[in-house]
Amino acid sequence: MSHTPSALPDELSIGIVHLGLGAFHRAHQAVYTEDAIQQAGGDWGICAVAMRSRELANVMMENSGRYSLIEQQAEGPVLRELSVIREVLCLPDSPGAVIQRIADPAVHLVSVTVTEKGYCFSGQDRHLNTDDPLVKHDLANASQARSMPGILVAGLRQRRETGGSGLSILSCDNLPANGKLLRQIVLSHAALLDSELAQWIEQKCRFPDSMVDRITPAATAATFKLAGDLLGRADPAAIETEPFKQWVIEDDFAGPRPAWEKAGAQFVADVAPFEDMKLRMLNGAHSLIAYLGAVSGLSAVRDVMKEPTYRSLIDRHMLMAAETLEGMDKSDAAVYRAQLLERFENPAIDHRCLQIAMDGSQKMPQRILTPASIRLARGMPVDTYALATALWVRYLMGRNEQGATIDCSDPLIAELQLIVNADSSMSQRIAGLGSIPGVPQDLFSQANWVNQVADLVDACHTQGVLAVVSKRIETS
Ligand code: CS2
């Protein structure tokens, strides 16, 4: 048995509301906050809100918010207990309590990890999607809000009505300019209810951008078994993660915040270069790996990395991604690539390809399609980009190379499958993807791009993915 208990005091008031109680929050922002309190003090206990999952909320409530975090280090797994989460709420059961907490004068920060689709936005201008049933519901039933923008606006409304100060609202999702997006959707949602509230939010609240990074797969039976062995008792809230972690935050807050810099976070004036680097190199490669795995029947990222041809492709893709970044030094890019290969190869991290492959309509634009447009506009080759897109299409077609059904998941799955399985030529189908909201239309109106993707989908069907990738790698 080896584990480190939490060193936080028993008494800790709540200063943060976190929306989205997934594994990622518990492996990332909660760790930075626990470490910051340990170093510099402060009443920064977290009220963590499960947006949907009653099961997770119940497990966390039974554990009084405590949980085990297993770091899969090179020397073996290391377990630490965390106790920074001091309250757990389940949004569908208690929206009133969440609103109350957001309005609480002792709370200065709301952080958010609700995944890309939780932002309820649409289109390349990233406007609030008022056709989204959840948004419609929340505009009509503000006190029973179920969406992230809806509950934030309801909480901010109560905060304003009770004379509260402005809040810092910190997006921690993998979206470019995530703070600016959050601000835009919150202001639009508020304006539809009460224009004075929207003005108040605009003046008093801050929405810093932030780049977050830590590879954290969903917990499995193996996670719970390992936690039990290391802890000497069962922990149904245990999660596991890699040793690496990074957080780059725009230094723009409405009020006080934890001393996250003491825990290793970096405060900068402009997060964009860090975001682009991470979204295009790490997440872009991740999506490529995920579709390679899903289509060729390999279950985890580490399994895809074991195939030397795929590993070379992924390295080439990251090289091409680095070339789209403004001011990325070549040697820095080489170091980052090498580090990413090692992280993807971590044999102790069982990161399912299907987990990463889901929600492609929300991920592909910033990870693959926008950098592909940039490369095309500069006359640079886009082969790994066209391949990643072709593999996404193969995934959406719903069967892997062994003929087994792929469990595809995407908020726009019906629209996507209608397009990729249409009774028309492959080029026409690929061009049809340009009609999906958020997908860069101009990219899918370029014959050069559409034909490359279509040829690759056909080649994957006739020759198999491994043969197609081998050929690309040989000729590159
Ligand atoms: C992954 C990310 O699921 C996904 O789409 O690419 O969650 C990735 O693991 C994290 O961004 C790493 O920081």
Side-chain angles (χ1 to χ4, degrees), residues 11-206:
E11 291 299 315
L12 183 66
S13 314
I14 287 169
I16 300 178
V17 173
H18 181 80
L19 303 179
L21 172 59
F24 184 69
H25 169 65
R26 285 177 286 149
H28 191 273
Q29 305 96 55
V31 176
Y32 278 93
T33 307
E34 175 130 359
D35 289 348
I37 301 170
Q38 230 168 284
Q39 300 275 332
D43 273 325
W44 294 112
I46 298 174
C47 162
V49 181
M51 299 300 280
R52 277 188 312 264
S53 171
R54 266 187 194 113
E55 208 185 319
L56 176 60
N58 287 341
V59 164
M60 288 291 292
M61 280 175 201
E62 275 159 30
N63 265 19
S64 315
R66 299 178 88 93
Y67 62 98
S68 309
L69 177 74
I70 302 166
E71 284 185 4
Q72 292 289 3
Q73 301 189 348
E75 313 74 53
V78 173
L79 186 147
R80 67 181 282 199
E81 285 181 281
L82 284 105
S83 75
V84 68
I85 296 181
R86 295 296 163 117
E87 181 177 53
V88 178
L89 297 172
C90 178
L91 180 61
D93 292 340
S94 23
V98 178
I99 292 171
Q100 202 77 40
R101 265 298 174 212
I102 296 176
D104 180 348
V107 165
H108 297 285
L109 258 156
V110 177
S111 51
V112 176
T113 53
V114 291
T115 80
E116 296 86 346
K117 62 181 175 235
Y119 286 68
C120 310
F121 71 103
S122 185
Q124 278 189 273
D125 62 352
R126 311 201 294 176
H127 60 271
L128 177 72
N129 182 6
T130 46
D131 292 330
D132 183 324
L134 219 52
V135 174
K136 278 193 181 149
H137 169 274
D138 291 1
L139 287 170
N141 310 277
S143 63
Q144 300 296 315
R146 297 203 295 251
S147 72
M148 179 274 286
I151 196 67
L152 262 175
V153 169
L156 288 166
R157 183 186 233 172
Q158 181 150 332
R159 197 169 170 98
R160 174 170 176 256
E161 281 165 5
T162 51
S165 57
L167 268 184
S168 304
I169 308 174
L170 180 56
S171 167
C172 301
D173 283 294
N174 286 318
L175 283 156
N178 51 11
K180 292 176 187 70
L181 169 66
L182 184 53
R183 180 174 185 275
Q184 173 156 317
I185 57 146
V186 166
L187 288 179
S188 306
H189 200 292
L192 290 169
L193 291 173
D194 172 350
S195 61
E196 284 180 11
L197 172 64
Q199 271 172 24
W200 182 84
I201 298 174
E202 198 168 8
Q203 283 163 10
K204 306 272 180 185
C205 297
R206 290 289 178 273

Side-chain angles (χ1 to χ4, degrees), residues 24 28 115-116 172-174 211-217 242 244 246 278-279 282-287 290 301 343-344 351-359 363 367:
F24 184 69
H28 191 273
T115 80
E116 296 86 346
C172 301
D173 283 294
N174 286 318
M211 180 272 248
V212 291
D213 189 8
R214 191 165 216 187
I215 292 176
T216 308
E242 63 172 344
F244 181 92
Q246 191 179 10
K278 194 248 168 178
L279 285 169
L282 188 158
N283 297 114
H286 243 179
S287 290
V301 170
R343 291 172 64 194
F344 296 155
H351 203 177
R352 301 275 130 176
C353 290
L354 287 182
Q355 189 188 343
I356 302 166
M358 70 190 287
D359 297 349
K363 295 175 176 175
R367 297 179 179 201

Side-chain angles (χ1 to χ4, degrees), residues 397-442:
M397 287 174 167
R399 277 199 190 281
N400 72 12
E401 293 202 304
Q402 290 75 41
T405 307
I406 301 176
D407 186 12
C408 296
S409 175
D410 194 295
L412 300 179
I413 195 68
E415 292 90 323
L416 288 163
Q417 290 194 324
L418 211 60
I419 294 172
V420 302
N421 293 323
D423 188 14
S424 54
S425 75
M426 191 54 76
S427 300
Q428 281 166 330
R429 292 189 240 173
I430 302 302
L433 289 172
S435 67
I436 293 290
V439 162
Q441 268 171 17
D442 53 333

Side-chain angles (χ1 to χ4, degrees), residues 191-425:
L192 290 169
L193 291 173
D194 172 350
S195 61
E196 284 180 11
L197 172 64
Q199 271 172 24
W200 182 84
I201 298 174
E202 198 168 8
Q203 283 163 10
K204 306 272 180 185
C205 297
R206 290 289 178 273
F207 298 81
D209 288 328
S210 88
M211 180 272 248
V212 291
D213 189 8
R214 191 165 216 187
I215 292 176
T216 308
T220 62
T223 314
F224 302 125
K225 162 90 179 60
L226 183 57
D229 292 347
L230 292 166
L231 204 57
R233 61 177 164 80
D235 180 1
I239 48 169
E240 59 186 303
T241 189
E242 63 172 344
F244 181 92
K245 66 178 188 316
Q246 191 179 10
W247 199 3
V248 185
I249 310 168
E250 183 185 5
D251 201 354
D252 182 22
F253 284 75
R257 58 160 178 83
W260 284 319
E261 67 281 6
K262 296 250 165 49
Q266 232 176 308
F267 284 86
V268 299
D270 182 12
V271 179
F274 298 92
E275 270 175 348
D276 287 346
M277 177 186 80
K278 194 248 168 178
L279 285 169
R280 294 184 194 169
M281 292 182 70
L282 188 158
N283 297 114
H286 243 179
S287 290
L288 173 58
I289 295 171
Y291 296 124
L292 273 170
V295 173
S296 51
L298 297 167
S299 60
V301 170
R302 62 185 178 196
D303 305 330
V304 176
M305 296 302 292
K306 272 193 211 135
E307 170 53 59
T309 311
Y310 292 163
R311 190 184 185 279
S312 307
L313 173 78
I314 289 144
D315 195 24
R316 173 169 166 75
H317 180 74
M318 292 196 289
L319 180 70
M320 289 174 62
E323 287 167 355
T324 70
L325 300 167
E326 300 303 327
M328 177 93 182
D329 185 277
K330 270 200 174 145
S331 62
D332 288 350
V335 171
Y336 191 52
R337 266 165 53 213
Q339 194 184 40
L340 288 176
L341 288 173
E342 202 177 303
R343 291 172 64 194
F344 296 155
E345 281 168 334
N346 188 334
I349 296 287
D350 183 10
H351 203 177
R352 301 275 130 176
C353 290
L354 287 182
Q355 189 188 343
I356 302 166
M358 70 190 287
D359 297 349
S361 66
Q362 317 291 303
K363 295 175 176 175
M364 289 294 279
Q366 57 276 14
R367 297 179 179 201
I368 300 291
L369 305 175
T370 299
S373 301
I374 294 173
R375 290 189 64 93
L376 269 184
R378 292 186 191 159
M380 298 161 110
V382 287
D383 49 313
T384 63
Y385 283 92
L387 188 60
T389 310
L391 289 165
W392 177 41
V393 170
R394 273 289 282 110
Y395 159 88
L396 291 169
M397 287 174 167
R399 277 199 190 281
N400 72 12
E401 293 202 304
Q402 290 75 41
T405 307
I406 301 176
D407 186 12
C408 296
S409 175
D410 194 295
L412 300 179
I413 195 68
E415 292 90 323
L416 288 163
Q417 290 194 324
L418 211 60
I419 294 172
V420 302
N421 293 323
D423 188 14
S424 54
S425 75

